Amino acid sequence: MRYIYILFFLGFVSWYGKAAISSQSELADFAQGAELWFAVESNLLAEPSSFSGSIELINKSAQALPAGKADWQIYLHMVRRLNSTEQAGLTLQHIQGDLHRIAPTTDFKGLAAGQTLQLNFQSAPWIISYSDFMPRAFIVAAGLMPEIFANTDTEEFSHFVRPMTEPRQLLRNIGAGDKFTTMTNEQRYRDNQAANGPPLTSSLLQQRIVPSPAKLQPGKGSAALSDKWQLNISAELQQEGQYLQQQLQQYFGTDIALATATGSQQIRLKLTDSQASHGAESYQLQISQDVIEITGTDKAGVFYGIQSLLALLPVKEEATSGVQLPQLLISDQPRYRWRGMHYDMGRNFHGIEVTLRLIEQMARYKLNKLHLHLTEDEGWRLEIPGLPELTELGAYRCFDLTEQRCLLTQLGTGPHTSGSGNGYYSRQQFIQLLRYAKAHHIDVIPEIDLPGHARAAIKAMEARYQRLNLAEQPEQAAHYRLTEDHDLSEYLTVQNYNDNSVNVCLESSYQFIDKVISELQQMYLDAGTELTLFHMGGDEVAKGSWQGSPACQQLIAMPDNDINSIDNLKPYFINRVAQLTAKRGLALAAWEDGLMATAAQPFARKQFQNPQIVVNAWDNIWEWGYGDRAYLFANAGYDVVQSPGTNLYFDHPQEAHPAERGYYWAARSTDTEKVFFYRPDHLYHNADFTRDGTAITDLAALLGRELPQLEKPENMLGIQGQLWSETIRTPAQLEQMLYPRLIALAERAWHKAGWEPDKASTAARADWQHFSQRLVSYELPRLQRSNSGHYLPPPGAIRNQGKIMANAAWPGLTIEYSVNQGQSWQHYQQPLPVTAQQIWLRSRLGKVSSRIIKL
């Protein structure tokens, strides 16, 4: 940041001087009446990757901020780090992460009722999305409880963020200039027109289940499935049979009886001995007039056959006594063994109910790996017996600079523990979650992110250390400590923390890790399942970690331990964790950067004793040169899960528009269509644009080197979607980001399309058209029936010859318009006359509507 300056605009109220705010009611009155606003001034500064912005405080209250130094401060959440500075009587200081503080000095001139104060600042890299700004700024004063500025205590960005409408606000100084222009109503209209094609017939649409089966042979005629049919279930498939029975009960409104003898009109579930030829999770579904038979190579195969049967059922708003199903034969098997979804509740916790709904939807679409990101700098989300501080302190954020009651508030939580993002799974809730996942044939992969991203654990174990020291139990106090006194290491992470790296040179760190793994294993056993894979994270460890650690200097000084410098500490830590997990019979997983020896070379696979090492390959920003790491790891003997930031990060915006939630560091936007067209078997075909929007026509030429090819395809486990939650504070926001992108992910994870890798082919475009039609007709209504929310793309619109014309992104969506600012809505059926009134438009399906566009 180069400068900060203050402008005062005097109102009509005179300044008489006033003592500091001295009561809770005065502080509350000020926060209730005053308004704090954020704005982007320009992203097109002369210096690349920087922006200028402003913080405006409008004093509409009856209270005044006094001149001179006083014991009040304003705290605000800002994901871009603003450098500490002092100007015109105010200091602006970065605290940790996204938390910043504004405080007065002796030179402060005061802020009377009716006055406005504005701070202008610079930071980096850019802000082109409203969701980069966090809510719940607050003011504190000596001896008083914090008070949130009322206009920021909301999830409506328009209440505290100024509009972004100008090119200087919407474009970035990046590369040769930002080629990703903001989506306009007109461009969306043209895109929608180009995407429209002939629809499927109702019969073909019913059979276009998601994910697509490997082979579907239609028969002649139909079967009249009703509540009079019976279930014939083999003994080993009781759980799967009960699941089907429950689903049909919800559909028909009455129980489907279990068969007492062989007879007609039965649904039969059974296993086959042909796994060797068909593979794990395979199934066959045959529907004839009086018999529906699902045969699986294993229980999971039978379960997926059940899902295909349920997918054929027409969507009904109310229970029905009977439906017509097409006679057909489906022979199906998965494309990949790993069909995953990663969910970060470490940044913001959303509760167990939304997680259970996620498991339900993953199972519906034959996804089988739920990667739970349980810990972060901003929160520890799982109760660990014997370490109560992890959740009593580490699961909550509030205003406590000493961090004795809670972590520092972050990510728009505000000053109170009741704020958004706080909470954790109790041990019993996690066991419930594991049981639910097991019943849905989903493996839960727990991630405890280490050694970076560990601030919550570090602070919690420091509180434990202090508690036991006060109780004169120094040996127990040190047992699980993750940091040490007199560590002078200096670093700053990508997320702007300088104290989030576990000290890898302390034996207590490994005692802590082993304790957590041991408790995890016991929870899995109590849930009737088994922990087989532990994810250690390993990503984004800041350079400079451990540089000033006395314990690390001592370890380096020890002879014959193969640790000669700070650079050796990362592989030392990874090997120690690998040994701990190997002794417990566990496979180990990590994000790709945790297992890179150099920027171009992974650690040797043979150095790890674990039966399996799984790598999430995520960093595929093509021009950075790392997009080939999925192949590098597979060729080096690791098992790889493709997790690319450019295509499968569901925390990114769904459209290039400031009103769309999410970060955009990997791609300007990632919509459902982009997920649908990810081609995991043709990695380099996904290289479409650089970050500035330049089309990539020759990736090897862009990188100036030959690209490695996949030599060991057997090591490519599959693909996984990622949802990071920095900007996602509520369950509703979570599900808007998840669905329907998760459904497109499932399509690619389960089914290899015949058109791959040519996504521009006629067959590819038709496949997308049919998929999106199926979304609207079947999948999204089913999501709504299960009480899950989802995203809808807004409509496109143009003015043409005195008329307003609108269209929808997906066939079958309704368009609604309003001429009275949303007080009432009407069904758009034909072009509207252009009037002096502002016209609002939105897409709608059932009880869900899109973002509103305004003309």
Side-chain angles (χ1 to χ4, degrees):
M1 182 176 59
R2 291 179 175 174
Y3 59 87
I4 281 190
Y5 59 89
I6 313 296
L7 294 176
F8 290 98
F9 301 95
L10 295 179
F12 295 105
V13 179
S14 299
W15 173 250
Y16 295 107
K18 192 180 189 301
I21 292 174
S22 57
S23 72
Q24 194 69 46
S25 62
E26 288 178 338
L27 191 65
D29 287 346
F30 180 81
Q32 191 67 31
E35 294 179 357
L36 189 143
W37 288 84
F38 299 106
V40 173
E41 301 298 335
S42 180
N43 288 298
L44 297 178
L45 304 185
E47 182 181 354
S49 298
S50 62
F51 80 100
S52 61
S54 64
I55 301 167
E56 187 179 23
L57 184 61
I58 306 172
N59 190 1
K60 296 182 178 180
S61 77
Q63 305 298 324
L65 295 180
K69 190 171 184 178
D71 198 0
W72 61 263
Q73 301 92 36
I74 292 172
Y75 286 85
L76 53 96
H77 301 279
M78 176 78 77
V79 296
R80 302 293 184 259
R81 182 178 184 271
L82 311 180
N83 293 342
S84 300
T85 189
E86 180 179 334
Q87 183 71 33
L90 288 177
T91 60
L92 176 64
Q93 180 183 9
H94 172 251
I95 307 301
Q96 280 288 356
D98 82 342
L99 190 64
H100 292 73
R101 176 172 60 209
I102 298 170
T105 71
T106 54
D107 296 328
F108 181 55
K109 304 302 182 184
L111 183 69
Q115 287 185 325
T116 295
L117 173 156
Q118 182 173 306
L119 286 75
N120 292 296
F121 59 83
Q122 282 189 337
S123 186
W126 318 276
I127 285 185
I128 53 175
S129 176
Y130 294 127
S131 64
D132 286 335
F133 295 102
M134 300 288 172
R136 297 177 192 91
F138 56 95
I139 185 169
V140 302
L144 303 177
M145 296 292 293
E147 295 286 352
I148 302 173
F149 287 98
N151 75 302
T152 73
D153 194 10
T154 176
E155 292 298 325
E156 292 293 332
F157 294 114
S158 61
H159 292 185
F160 61 94
V161 183
R162 298 297 188 191
M164 299 184 199
T165 57
E166 301 298 323
R168 58 185 168 80
Q169 298 170 308
L170 300 171
L171 300 174
R172 302 162 292 170
N173 183 350
I174 181 176
D178 197 345
K179 299 171 184 64
F180 284 122
T181 56
T182 299
M183 179 63 72
T184 64
N185 301 330
E186 294 78 13
Q187 183 59 51
R188 195 182 302 110
Y189 182 89
R190 291 190 291 269
D191 291 348
N192 292 347
Q193 273 191 317
N196 288 334
L200 289 171
T201 65
S202 59
S203 174
L204 290 176
L205 187 59
Q206 183 181 13
Q207 296 177 51
R208 201 318 186 184
I209 63 174
V210 179
S212 299
K215 187 177 182 181
L216 187 153
Q217 295 175 270
K220 293 182 179 180
S222 61
L225 178 64
S226 74
D227 55 10
K228 305 305 180 187
W229 283 51
Q230 296 181 330
L231 288 177
N232 190 323
I233 306 165
S234 59
E236 63 269 40
L237 294 172
Q238 291 301 306
Q239 180 174 285
E240 289 69 29
Q242 289 171 8
Y243 174 84
L244 176 57
Q245 191 175 33
Q246 178 190 43
Q247 295 298 309
L248 292 177
Q249 193 279 334
Q250 293 175 10
Y251 193 80
F252 291 120
T254 185
D255 286 332
I256 302 295
L258 295 177
T260 55
T262 303
S264 60
Q265 291 197 308
Q266 287 190 357
I267 303 175
R268 299 172 185 166
L269 307 182
K270 63 180 185 178
L271 294 174
T272 181
D273 297 327
S274 58
Q275 181 168 326
S277 57
H278 293 285
E281 302 178 295
S282 302
Y283 70 91
Q284 189 173 82
L285 166 63
Q286 186 162 15
I287 301 177
S288 58
Q289 187 170 356
D290 293 317
V291 175
I292 297 173
E293 189 167 83
I294 298 173
T295 307
T297 57
D298 50 25
K299 293 181 180 181
V302 172
F303 184 77
Y304 296 137
I306 290 171
Q307 296 300 341
S308 292
L309 172 61
L310 296 173
L312 289 165
L313 298 177
V315 179
K316 300 287 185 181
E317 291 299 322
E318 298 178 353
T320 182
S321 58
V323 295
Q324 295 294 319
L325 295 180
Q327 295 191 42
L328 51 71
L329 174 64
I330 291 177
S331 299
D332 202 6
Q333 60 186 18
R335 176 183 197 170
Y336 287 120
R337 292 170 284 166
W338 189 296
R339 306 177 301 280
M341 187 64 221
H342 161 275
Y343 164 34
D344 161 32
M345 78 288 297
R347 265 53 178 265
N348 280 304
F349 188 72
H350 309 98
I352 190 170
E353 292 303 322
V354 74
T355 315
L356 297 177
R357 290 201 299 272
L358 171 58
I359 290 171
E360 178 186 353
Q361 300 309 327
M362 287 178 63
R364 175 174 290 171
Y365 298 105
K366 305 183 177 77
L367 296 173
N368 66 347
K369 307 289 183 182
L370 176 57
H371 175 173
L372 289 183
H373 191 81
L374 292 165
T375 69
E376 253 305 335
D377 295 322
E378 296 86 3
W380 181 284
R381 306 305 180 188
L382 178 61
E383 179 185 13
I384 300 295
L387 300 177
E389 285 85 359
L390 284 174
T391 46
E392 290 176 359
L393 184 146
Y396 292 94
R397 305 188 290 255
C398 69
F399 180 66
D400 176 10
L401 297 177
T402 68
E403 297 188 276
Q404 296 301 299
R405 295 186 296 113
C406 56
L407 299 176
L408 277 178
T409 181
Q410 295 288 320
L411 302 177
T413 295
H416 310 304
T417 55
S418 59
S420 63
N422 285 325
Y424 64 94
Y425 300 129
S426 70
R427 188 179 188 278
Q428 283 308 118
Q429 285 178 324
F430 191 65
I431 290 171
Q432 174 194 0
L433 185 156
L434 294 174
R435 288 173 177 158
Y436 196 70
K438 181 186 177 185
H440 288 75
H441 291 274
I442 291 173
D443 295 328
V444 176
I445 315 302
E447 179 185 347
I448 307 297
D449 207 348
L450 301 159
H453 288 280
R455 190 174 189 274
I458 291 169
K459 294 300 178 182
M461 291 301 92
E462 242 354 62
R464 176 185 182 275
Y465 173 77
Q466 293 168 16
R467 172 175 63 83
L468 292 175
N469 261 343
L470 287 174
E472 298 182 349
Q473 302 176 49
E475 189 173 331
Q476 287 132 304
H479 193 64
Y480 296 124
R481 198 181 186 197
L482 302 177
T483 188
E484 64 177 328
D485 297 328
H486 313 300
D487 186 344
L488 303 179
S489 302
E490 294 184 2
Y491 57 87
L492 190 67
T493 71
V494 175
Q495 289 80 19
N496 299 313
Y497 293 103
N498 61 17
D499 58 354
N500 79 337
S501 292
V502 166
N503 192 315
V504 301
C505 303
L506 298 175
E507 280 303 307
S508 53
S509 294
Y510 302 99
Q511 291 163 352
F512 171 82
I513 296 167
D514 197 47
K515 163 71 172 174
V516 171
I517 294 174
S518 171
E519 294 295 343
L520 277 168
Q521 285 185 302
Q522 190 58 52
M523 288 183 227
Y524 276 71
L525 288 174
D526 290 352
T529 184
E530 182 182 4
L531 177 64
T532 59
L533 176 63
F534 174 76
H535 203 297
M536 59 161 280
D539 59 315
E540 295 184 327
V541 180
K543 186 176 179 60
S545 298
W546 319 307
Q547 191 79 44
S549 160
C552 290
Q553 295 301 324
Q554 184 178 358
L555 186 63
I556 292 169
M558 293 174 62
D560 304 323
N561 64 358
D562 296 325
I563 302 174
N564 303 312
S565 69
I566 295 294
D567 293 338
N568 299 135
L569 292 178
K570 177 182 169 184
Y572 168 76
F573 174 79
I574 294 166
N575 273 291
R576 289 290 303 269
V577 176
Q579 290 164 11
L580 281 175
T581 49
K583 286 180 181 178
R584 292 185 171 276
L586 299 176
L588 184 65
W591 299 101
E592 67 175 59
D593 42 327
L595 293 170
M596 294 297 295
T598 67
Q601 187 64 44
F603 292 119
R605 171 63 182 90
K606 63 183 180 182
Q607 76 185 56
F608 303 117
Q609 303 168 18
N610 305 72
Q612 182 186 39
I613 303 287
V614 176
V615 180
N616 291 99
W618 62 273
D619 190 355
N620 72 325
I621 309 302
W622 300 108
E623 63 269 33
W624 290 356
Y626 304 144
D628 56 4
R629 282 182 175 171
Y631 286 175
L632 290 179
F633 275 106
N635 293 342
Y638 291 87
D639 287 328
V640 176
V641 178
Q642 293 184 34
S643 311
T646 57
N647 291 70
L648 301 185
Y649 267 44
F650 297 171
D651 55 299
H652 278 44
Q654 309 200 53
E655 184 179 81
H657 193 282
E660 292 289 344
R661 184 178 305 278
Y663 285 175
Y664 39 83
W665 60 268
R668 180 62 187 90
S669 63
T670 299
D671 62 8
T672 303
E673 182 177 351
K674 187 174 182 180
V675 177
F676 179 87
F677 282 118
Y678 183 70
R679 289 143 290 166
D681 286 353
H682 304 86
L683 191 64
Y684 304 132
H685 280 73
N686 298 296
D688 48 6
F689 295 101
T690 62
R691 289 208 308 160
D692 66 4
T694 300
I696 300 173
T697 56
D698 188 331
L699 183 59
L702 175 68
L703 300 182
R705 61 178 174 84
E706 188 177 351
L707 298 170
Q709 299 303 306
L710 181 61
E711 299 165 3
K712 297 181 178 180
E714 66 274 14
N715 291 335
M716 198 60 67
L717 290 184
I719 64 175
Q720 177 171 285
Q722 278 64 232
L723 186 62
W724 304 96
S725 67
E726 288 98 330
T727 68
I728 301 169
R729 286 173 288 277
T730 70
Q733 292 168 2
L734 179 74
E735 292 185 328
Q736 271 225 333
M737 302 298 275
L738 273 172
Y739 311 117
R741 288 189 283 197
L742 177 143
I743 304 174
L745 168 75
E747 177 76 7
R748 288 284 71 81
W750 182 271
H751 176 73
K752 181 174 181 178
W755 50 260
E756 294 185 46
D758 185 9
K759 74 173 186 177
S761 67
T762 301
R765 302 316 303 174
D767 194 20
W768 163 249
Q769 176 74 14
H770 299 158
F771 175 85
S772 58
Q773 186 184 351
R774 172 77 189 196
L775 277 183
V776 174
S777 300
Y778 281 80
E779 312 310 331
L780 299 184
R782 283 186 171 136
L783 274 170
Q784 293 184 26
R785 286 197 67 188
S786 64
N787 296 316
S788 292
H790 60 81
Y791 176 83
L792 285 181
I798 60 168
R799 291 182 177 87
N800 184 30
Q801 297 182 347
K803 300 285 187 179
I804 291 175
M805 303 172 66
N807 59 11
W810 302 334
L813 289 182
T814 297
I815 299 175
E816 295 179 332
Y817 71 96
S818 174
V819 295
N820 54 12
Q821 290 76 52
Q823 296 178 46
S824 61
W825 292 88
Q826 302 176 62
H827 186 193
Y828 171 88
Q829 295 177 298
Q830 58 188 5
L832 304 171
V834 174
T835 68
Q837 297 168 301
Q838 187 181 63
I839 294 180
W840 292 9
L841 292 160
R842 67 185 184 186
S843 304
R844 190 167 185 88
L845 180 66
K847 57 188 177 184
V848 174
S849 57
S850 74
R851 173 168 56 83
I852 294 169
I853 66 170
K854 301 176 182 179
L855 288 86

